[in-house]
């Protein structure tokens, strides 16, 4: 088994990646297990820049292959905001229940066809030889008219997925993982890591 560090302190993300990588030859270890904290500032202009910066920065500390992700929601009516600033949007300490109501106010009277939005996730893996692998996942939907659902986190209660007739906060976690930005990016990354392992780079 090869150890890969996942640069996150988010337990949900860890659970998700461990499940997806459970049949692989990789053993996911955490920064907590290594006794290090995340000191990398996410100040890039794109999800990819932030994920690459975090993965490379932590890899230099751990000297092990390191995965990092960055994600957020793009709302077309708000010129794709909050995008990379999703975690800070309207104030890092503002509860999501309030942020979500504010977004609904910003989109008051906006018709359904103009309420398009998407969650985006980019995962980067920094290898110890300096190579970087990236994978992206996109989850398309609309901004709902009212918040609904108790599952998930963040903007899930206002993210309506037409094909399922519900918000991502009303979805069972397994369904969300199957179709979500993070699930898609993680599965793509797992595939790319298997491919490079098969080529003999990561034993
Ligand atoms: P980060 O990738 O941990 O920096 O998180 C970015 C922010 O995007 C989160 O704090 C949430 O506000 C938002 N976000 C990312 N993925 C999701 C999701 O699956 N559901 C709801 N909000 C999300």
């Amino acid at each position: 088994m090869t150890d890969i560090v996942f640069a996150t302190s988010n337990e949900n993300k860890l659970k998700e990646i461990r499940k997806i990588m459970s049949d692989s030859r990789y053993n996911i270890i955490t920064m907590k297990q290594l006794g290090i904290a995340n000191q990398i500032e996410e100040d890039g202009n794109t999800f990819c820049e932030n994920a690459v910066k975090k993965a490379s920065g932590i890899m230099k500390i751990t000297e092990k292959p390191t995965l990092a992700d960055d994600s957020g929601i793009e709302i077309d009516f708000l010129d794709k905001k909050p995008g990379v600033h999703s975690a800070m949007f309207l104030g890092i300490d503002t509860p999501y229940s309030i942020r979500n109501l504010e977004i609904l106010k910003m989109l008051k009277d906006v018709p359904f066809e103009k309420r398009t939005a998407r969650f985006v996730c980019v995962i980067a893996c920094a290898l110890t030889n300096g190579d970087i692998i990236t994978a992206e996942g996109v989850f398309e939907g609309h901004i709902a008219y009212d918040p609904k659902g108790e599952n998930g986190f963040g903007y899930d209660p206002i993210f309506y997925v037409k094909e399922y007739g519900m918000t991502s906060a009303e979805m069972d976690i397994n369904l969300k993982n199957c179709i979500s930005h993070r699930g898609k990016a993680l599965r793509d990354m797992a595939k790319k890591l298997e491919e490079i392992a098969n080529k003999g780079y990561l034993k």
Side-chain angles (χ1 to χ4, degrees):
M1 291 283 257
T2 301
D3 283 347
I4 292 202
V5 180
F6 191 19
T8 185
S9 46
N10 181 322
E11 288 299 324
N12 290 323
K13 288 185 185 176
L14 279 166
K15 242 189 251 165
E16 218 173 302
I17 193 166
R18 283 206 165 108
K19 200 166 167 200
I20 288 169
M21 305 276 278
S22 60
D23 293 333
S24 77
R25 63 191 91 192
Y26 297 104
N27 177 38
I28 302 293
I29 52 173
T30 62
M31 295 198 296
K32 198 170 158 194
Q33 281 172 286
L34 297 171
I36 55 167
N38 182 10
Q39 316 93 326
I40 313 292
E41 206 187 332
E42 293 181 27
D43 54 2
N45 291 319
T46 63
F47 297 110
C48 190
E49 253 180 70
N50 281 335
V52 169
K53 186 178 176 201
K54 217 188 311 178
S56 322
I58 301 293
M59 184 275 288
K60 283 181 191 140
I61 302 170
T62 61
E63 298 181 346
K64 290 178 191 298
T66 300
L67 290 162
D69 78 328
D70 192 36
S71 58
I73 189 168
E74 295 178 344
I75 301 173
D76 291 326
F77 188 77
L78 304 179
D79 295 327
K80 299 205 174 174
K81 288 191 186 80
V84 285
H85 304 296
S86 295
M88 284 88 80
F89 188 56
L90 301 174
I92 187 113
D93 294 327
T94 307
Y96 277 96
S97 52
I98 294 178
R99 298 191 210 193
N100 286 339
L101 289 177
E102 283 301 315
I103 291 174
L104 295 183
K105 269 193 218 159
M106 291 174 200
L107 269 71
K108 192 174 177 285
D109 298 331
V110 174
F112 186 75
E113 65 275 13
K114 292 199 175 146
R115 301 176 80 92
T116 47
R118 68 204 55 76
F119 282 119
V120 180
C121 174
V122 175
I123 301 183
C125 183
L127 303 179
T128 51
N129 67 355
D131 285 356
I132 302 280
I133 306 164
T134 59
E136 182 179 272
V138 177
F139 183 17
E140 297 282 351
H142 287 77
I143 299 301
Y145 290 98
D146 297 297
K148 268 195 195 135
E150 305 292 329
N151 302 333
F153 65 100
Y155 302 101
D156 280 326
I158 58 164
F159 189 75
Y160 180 76
V161 189
K162 198 168 123 192
E163 294 78 0
Y164 292 87
M166 61 175 86
T167 69
S168 46
E170 293 179 285
M171 288 181 181
D172 164 87
I173 184 70
N174 291 320
L175 171 60
K176 187 183 166 199
N177 286 347
C178 269
I179 59 176
S180 79
H181 48 315
R182 197 168 300 100
K184 286 175 191 161
L186 282 172
R187 284 188 294 275
D188 189 29
M189 177 57 74
K191 204 170 117 208
K192 287 179 173 172
L193 288 173
E194 276 307 295
E195 281 165 13
I196 62 162
N198 289 338
K199 286 183 190 151
Y201 174 65
L202 283 168
K203 306 245 168 15

